[in-house]
Amino acid sequence: LQIAVRLGHVASDAEDGEVYQAIKVFVPPLMLLKLLRRFPSFHLLLSAFCNAVQALPVLLYTLLVVVFAFAGLLYLAEPRTNVPKISDALWLTCVSVTTVGYGDIAPVSTWGKFWTACLLVVGALY
């Protein structure tokens, strides 16, 4: 109750009740989070996430090595009219490995298409 009174006092000082609106939006989900203490399956899920977070740096390092290696290969394989900078090759690699494929940069040489196809397979298997 004291917290509600203090928050109400702060809300009355704010312009147009912005703080009050923020409280109305964020407090109910926080109250629902208190219920998670009652579910033992949530604790199992939380421990699984904690174990997965320990393996995350190795996965990210591997992904960075793959992205930089293929960016170098694509930069060497593509003509400078298509991929003028290494940052463009990195962009093409990131877009290809995530299988988003915006289409703003596409490989035009045979080796560029080959390395992009290999990258797509590696990205799908990763």
Side-chain angles (χ1 to χ4, degrees), residues 60-124:
L60 289 176
Y61 177 75
T62 307
L63 181 65
L64 282 175
V65 168
V66 167
V67 165
F68 283 123
F70 275 99
L73 288 170
L74 285 172
Y75 184 71
L76 293 175
E78 286 296 306
R80 293 297 152 255
T81 56
N82 189 30
V83 181
K85 298 181 287 193
I86 191 71
S87 60
D88 294 327
L90 276 169
W91 173 252
L92 174 60
T93 305
C94 290
V95 167
S96 298
V97 80
T98 57
T99 64
V100 172
Y102 287 118
D104 53 349
I105 301 174
V108 293
S109 68
T110 305
W111 280 107
K113 291 177 183 179
F114 172 76
W115 289 123
T116 304
C118 291
L119 177 63
L120 289 173
V121 171
V122 169

